[in-house]
Amino acid sequence: MLSQAQILQWLQAYATEIEQNKTYLTELDAAIGDADHGINMDRGFKKVSILLPTLTDKDISNILKAVSMTLISSIGGASGPLYGTWFLRASTAVVDKQELTEQDVLGLLQAGLDGVLQRGKAQLGDKTMVDVLSPAVTAFGQAVGESKGTLEAMQQAVAIAQKGLQETIPMQAKKGRASYLGERSIGHQDPGGTSAYLMLKSLLEVLENSQTTDH
Amino acid sequence: MKKLINKPEDFVRESLEGMAAAHSDLIKVNYDPAFVYRANAPIPGKVAIISGGGSGHEPMHAGFVGKGMLDAACPGEVFTSPTPDQMLEAAKLVDGGSGILYIVKNYSGDVMNFEMATELARSEGIRSLNILIDDDVAVKDSLYTQGRRGVGTTILAEKICGAAAEAGYDLPQIANLCRRVNLNGRSMGIALTSCTVPANGTPTFELSDREIELGIGIHGEPGIERTAIKAVDEITEILTRSLLEDAAYSRTLREWDEDKGEWVDVELTNLPFTKGDRLLAFVNSMGGTPVSELYIVYRKLAQICEQQGLQIVRNLIGPYITSLEMQGCSITLLKLDDETIRLWDAPVKTPSWRWD
């Protein structure tokens, strides 16, 4: 189960994670892109941080939709429409919900991924956030199929996401600015994949912390 | 980093404030969301042309807002695409009832944000079309990249389509014209130094004193190779040959189909230049290279074109599509015909580009 309060905690945790990794993300982007991924994501999620306290009485779908609009109108670049679309599609998968079952979380993750695939037209192996998100959704779905709870399914998803992120290092980029580097893009971790990994990791941390608190 | 800025985060806004103060007769600026628009917008019955992209490429695009060119320009953060809300608000303000043409450079961020913007504009009842510019021959293999980047041809398309809008062309006619200009244009650039994005404070890439980067895009991203520095004649020869020897190029671009009401993939092919073609030759500074050096480039470029039986009938030389203070240049060759020559020659009055 994932509550409305946990969704808000997750978004705040992710915003903090982006702030702390702003320089790291920008450095990764400097190697193969145009050195602004951390700066752009931080600009968007700083706005999300300010927004979150105004959303405490909203349902999960409306929270995600408001976050989406904030990201779309403040990040720019490729990350703005991609993360904006992820949150917008995720919101449409959980309409009217105050609490999410494992199936709901799976639906949310799948809808977000489908949106990103449509918007960015990237495929697995193109050295993008898809290489992190796609295997993570599959792993989450498998765990749910094996009747695992949200926490355990998320642990498996994040482990696979981390592996997917590592696997972007030897890939040659086929989308975004990095694609212009051709073979020179090989050997660098994908910045968009890194921010996508942090998104899943911060959700897992909220789940783990909640469990500790429960005991 | 040494720059004439106050705070990096105020760079774009303060630059726009200065521009508005300097050219209040021609343009106005909306700050939230940010866009520059013609002082007399909207112009009833005229198709409105909007472009936009990351800041740091001045005078493109805001410097080209005015009579005979753009109706609005949406500046993003430095080297970062603007956002759909900027484009939507600009469209609402400048639409004269005949629709909007967005001229979009083929960068993934620009493409995605403008696609979202056109979807939003249409949902508000504003007729709008997107034409992508992808003229950079340095990007060779479209299978393994997102295709060629939009560079120098962009502003040539803005000038020609701006004149067409002024002359009363309707939206489909201007979209067709813009697509044709794109297919007739080819560009390639070279960098001698990196630029420094204000928010980062360090050079975007490292180039030693003895190295140049061939085939760069307008953010310094590479296209072909890093090589030892050469004499300017040799560099000009490499750039020009790459434009003249570029084979027919086919690709699929996404455009909005007004009849079907959806995005469709359009197959486009541009053909190589051939003997007898009439050309516009555009030698552009990346920002840090003086015009004197551009003339040395033009000198060699004109010689090569003459040898090849290509006729340069118009030219443009100077810093028009830049990358902050990067040293280097790009060459764009655009094949012209009677109609595009007439539109090129038509009057234009903008902050950075004007003739009668």
Side-chain angles (χ1 to χ4, degrees):
Chain A
M1 281 294 189
L2 193 57
S3 69
Q4 185 257 19
Q6 283 174 311
I7 291 282
L8 288 168
Q9 284 167 26
W10 161 49
L11 293 166
Q12 185 52 59
Y14 186 34
T16 306
E17 194 81 44
I18 289 291
E19 189 182 9
Q20 286 167 351
N21 286 283
K22 176 178 157 181
T23 309
Y24 173 56
L25 290 171
T26 294
E27 280 167 5
L28 289 173
D29 196 27
I32 56 169
D34 55 352
D36 61 3
H37 188 54
I39 293 163
N40 290 346
M41 290 293 281
D42 189 48
R43 184 172 57 244
F45 278 92
K46 276 212 163 62
K47 291 249 164 86
V48 168
S49 270
I50 296 166
L51 175 78
L52 288 175
T54 69
L55 301 176
T56 48
D57 59 341
K58 298 276 191 292
D59 66 37
I60 292 172
S61 176
N62 280 310
I63 292 169
L64 297 174
K65 192 175 172 194
V67 167
S68 163
M69 290 304 153
T70 301
L71 297 177
I72 288 170
S73 63
S74 62
I75 296 185
S79 313
L82 290 170
Y83 277 97
T85 300
W86 193 92
F87 279 97
L88 187 64
R89 292 298 185 81
S91 80
T92 60
V94 293
V95 173
D96 291 336
K97 306 250 178 193
Q98 291 286 351
E99 197 172 57
L100 306 180
T101 65
E102 301 82 53
Q103 284 294 344
D104 293 333
V105 176
L106 176 60
L108 178 158
L109 294 172
Q110 185 69 55
L113 172 64
D114 290 346
V116 164
L117 289 169
Q118 249 173 38
R119 182 65 65 195
K121 290 173 273 181
Q123 295 173 346
L124 213 52
D126 285 353
K127 197 178 182 99
T128 71
M129 61 199 289
V130 170
D131 295 312
V132 170
L133 294 176
S134 177
V137 174
T138 307
F140 193 93
Q142 270 173 7
V144 170
E146 291 160 12
S147 307
K148 305 267 167 61
T150 305
L151 172 63
E152 207 175 327
M154 204 62 213
Q155 282 167 337
Q156 295 188 11
V158 168
I160 294 292
Q162 187 169 28
K163 189 160 160 277
L165 178 59
Q166 294 301 316
E167 286 170 0
T168 65
I169 296 173
M171 288 177 185
Q172 178 172 335
K174 291 178 187 167
K175 289 283 167 188
R177 299 253 167 92
S179 68
Y180 301 123
L181 277 162
E183 290 181 358
R184 284 194 270 172
S185 66
I186 292 171
H188 301 278
Q189 183 173 307
D190 182 57
T194 308
S195 57
Y197 167 71
L198 294 175
M199 178 169 84
L200 300 176
K201 192 183 86 144
S202 44
L203 177 55
L204 174 61
E205 282 168 3
V206 165
L207 286 163
E208 286 176 340
N209 288 344
S210 310
Q211 216 204 15
T212 322
T213 327
D214 288 347
H215 279 281
Chain B
M1 174 179 71
K2 282 195 283 188
K3 281 182 188 288
L4 293 175
I5 58 176
N6 293 308
K7 281 187 278 176
E9 59 269 33
D10 296 335
F11 177 86
V12 174
R13 187 191 172 95
E14 291 182 352
S15 178
L16 291 174
E17 285 172 0
M19 192 179 181
H23 303 287
S24 57
D25 55 327
L26 295 175
I27 56 154
K28 288 182 181 163
V29 178
N30 190 78
Y31 291 100
D32 194 18
F35 59 91
V36 177
Y37 60 102
R38 276 172 78 155
N40 59 342
I43 298 159
K46 189 184 88 69
V47 172
I49 300 184
I50 300 180
S51 195
S55 293
H57 304 302
E58 289 70 22
M60 184 179 78
H61 296 276
F64 305 139
V65 174
K67 185 174 161 53
M69 219 159 156
L70 299 177
D71 291 83
C74 304
E77 294 295 324
V78 174
F79 291 2
T80 299
S81 162
T83 55
D85 55 318
Q86 290 173 263
M87 301 158 194
L88 176 64
E89 292 306 316
K92 283 198 229 168
L93 205 148
V94 302
D95 178 32
S98 298
I100 305 279
L101 177 71
Y102 290 108
I103 299 180
V104 184
K105 297 185 297 303
N106 192 35
Y107 286 92
S108 49
D110 288 309
V111 173
M112 285 189 270
N113 282 292
F114 273 99
E115 277 188 6
M116 296 181 91
T118 43
E119 287 168 18
L120 291 171
R122 275 187 292 269
S123 74
E124 302 224 3
I126 301 171
R127 198 176 166 198
S128 54
L129 294 176
N130 276 18
I131 294 293
L132 296 178
I133 305 292
D134 64 336
D135 61 323
D136 187 350
V137 305
V139 180
K140 283 296 176 199
D141 194 345
S142 64
L143 267 182
Y144 295 106
T145 68
Q146 58 188 8
R148 292 179 170 178
R149 300 171 286 226
V151 287
T153 301
T154 311
I155 63 161
L156 309 182
E158 288 173 2
K159 169 68 185 78
I160 289 168
C161 293
E166 219 67 60
Y169 285 42
D170 68 19
L171 183 58
Q173 286 173 325
I174 295 178
N176 285 335
L177 176 68
C178 191
R179 197 181 300 112
R180 194 170 100 221
V181 170
N182 181 39
L183 291 179
N184 283 326
R186 283 176 160 79
S187 300
M188 182 152 153
I190 176 238
L192 306 176
T193 63
S194 174
C195 56
T196 296
V197 173
N200 295 337
T202 52
T204 306
F205 56 94
E206 298 287 339
L207 265 183
S208 80
D209 274 358
R210 305 298 305 162
E211 281 180 321
I212 57 174
E213 181 88 35
L214 269 176
I216 51 145
I218 50 173
H219 315 93
E221 71 277 35
I224 293 184
E225 63 170 329
R226 185 164 291 196
T227 176
I229 191 159
K230 302 171 195 320
V232 57
D233 277 2
E234 203 179 330
I235 290 172
T236 306
E237 182 121 13
I238 292 169
L239 294 179
T240 311
R241 297 268 171 226
S242 67
L243 302 181
L244 299 184
E245 289 165 10
D246 187 52
Y249 171 59
S250 296
R251 73 289 217 182
T252 307
L253 295 177
R254 197 146 75 153
E255 291 182 13
W256 183 262
D257 186 316
E258 286 199 299
D259 296 328
K260 289 185 186 161
E262 62 186 17
W263 294 104
V264 294
D265 286 337
V266 184
E267 284 282 343
L268 297 169
T269 300
N270 55 344
L271 300 173
F273 299 122
T274 56
K275 217 172 204 143
D277 279 351
R278 288 177 291 171
L279 300 180
L280 188 160
F282 169 28
V283 180
N284 173 61
S285 166
M286 302 311 294
T289 288
V291 176
S292 52
E293 294 176 24
L294 301 183
Y295 279 126
I296 301 177
V297 172
Y298 184 78
R299 167 186 163 275
K300 184 67 183 174
L301 169 65
Q303 285 170 7
I304 298 170
C305 285
E306 196 182 339
Q307 285 161 9
Q308 299 294 316
L310 296 158
Q311 201 188 343
I312 298 180
V313 294
R314 295 292 183 276
N315 65 63
L316 181 71
I317 296 164
Y320 289 94
I321 162 169
T322 64
S323 304
L324 297 166
E325 75 284 14
M326 185 190 293
Q327 283 180 28
C329 72
S330 61
I331 297 177
T332 299
L333 293 176
L334 173 68
K335 184 177 151 185
L336 295 172
D337 53 42
D338 290 343
E339 182 188 22
T340 46
I341 289 175
R342 193 173 64 244
L343 294 166
W344 175 260
D345 289 342
V348 57
K349 192 172 184 190
T350 70
S352 302
W353 193 342
R354 56 180 87 184
W355 60 60
D356 293 323

